[in-house]
Structure formats: C-alpha cells, structure tokens
Amino acid sequence: MDGTTTVGVGGGRRWGSRTALVVPLVLALLLGALSVLVLLPAAQHLRSLRGGERAQATLRTGGSCVLGRCQVEFEAAGRTVTADLPVGSGGGKSPVGARTAVRHRADDPRVVAREEDLGGGAAAVGTVTAGGAALFFLVLPILAARYRRRSTAPRVDRPRIRA
C-alpha cells in the first residue's frame, strides 16, 4: 500500500533449502540407477563373451557405439550375420567399413561384442563414473547444510588468554 514490498520471513529460504536437498538426491538416484541397472549389466555382458566364437567383422554403421548404435557384419556358420554392438562398445572411433575382431555366442551369433571391449571397457568406466557422481550428489546436501550452518551461526568472540 505504501509502495514497499513485504517478503515473508523464511518463505523463500525454506524453498531454497528443500530444492538444495531434493535435486542432488534425485540426481544421485538417477545416476545410481543408471550405474546399477544399465552400465553394470552391460559390462558383465561384455565379459561373458570372452569364451565366444571369434570372427572378423566389418563395421556397418557408425555413430555412438557406447550407446549401442553400431552394427557389424560377419560370417558365422556359413551365413552372413548383421548384429548390433552392445551398449558400452568402443567402436565409434572406427570408420564405417573398418575391420574388427568380434566374439559371438555359438548358439546365437547376433549376440556379439568387439574383442577389445571384452574386459568391460567403456561400460566399466561409465559404471564407476556414474557411481562416483551418485555418491557426490548424495554427500552434497550434507556438505551444503554444514556450510549454511557455519555461515549463519552467530560469531562468538572468545577472550584471548595471554600467558
């Protein structure tokens, strides 16, 4: 009424502290789920093909192989097989038409992985990275609360004792 704006005490601050708590926790949950539900099984799948049949393949489609968008073509049991490389493959650096060694299941040649990726490579690194980021976002609200508590606490001047 008199041209001044009144802001509720603590209203904006409460919203900010809730957001500061909820957002990192949601990010931690999503990164943890990515790590456990996608990247860890992908790394285990790649390691499971170590004993598979070996074949020379040609990279048919390029793109983001880490996301599982590459295809290879090879001969298995006398027929030509086109198979998708799994999530976590590192073939994206190779140009289309490049030759690479792959391992596939004898009973299902469409389940394939590049030999270079059989250790879990990119998927294992992604698992560790996402897991580490999830832990960081779990700890972030605790650190922020400690910082806020220290910065808002009244400063107490202590008398100096001289000997």
Side-chain angles (χ1 to χ4, degrees), residues 3-85:
T4 61
T5 306
T6 306
V7 178
V9 177
R13 187 174 196 169
R14 211 171 328 142
W15 169 253
S17 64
R18 280 191 194 139
T19 303
L21 178 65
V22 171
V23 170
L25 293 178
V26 168
L27 285 172
L29 181 65
L30 290 174
L31 288 168
L34 173 70
S35 179
V36 171
L37 299 175
V38 176
L39 296 173
L40 185 61
Q44 290 171 342
H45 169 70
L46 290 171
R47 284 191 291 268
S48 74
L49 290 170
R50 284 183 181 158
E53 300 286 323
R54 189 174 196 275
Q56 283 296 317
T58 304
L59 188 63
R60 251 187 95 177
T61 60
S64 182
C65 293
V66 172
L67 298 176
R69 293 185 177 158
C70 290
Q71 288 184 334
V72 291
E73 186 175 275
F74 59 96
E75 295 285 326
R79 64 186 179 124
T80 302
V81 177
T82 301
D84 294 327
L85 289 175

Side-chain angles (χ1 to χ4, degrees), residues 4 7-8 29-30 50 61 66 68-69 87 90 94-95 97-98 103-104 110 115 118 125-126 130 134 144 151 155:
T4 61
V7 178
L29 181 65
L30 290 174
R50 284 183 181 158
T61 60
V66 172
R69 293 185 177 158
V87 172
S94 304
R103 295 274 180 166
H104 64 86
R110 291 174 295 159
E115 265 191 340
L118 294 180
V125 169
S151 65
R155 185 178 171 115

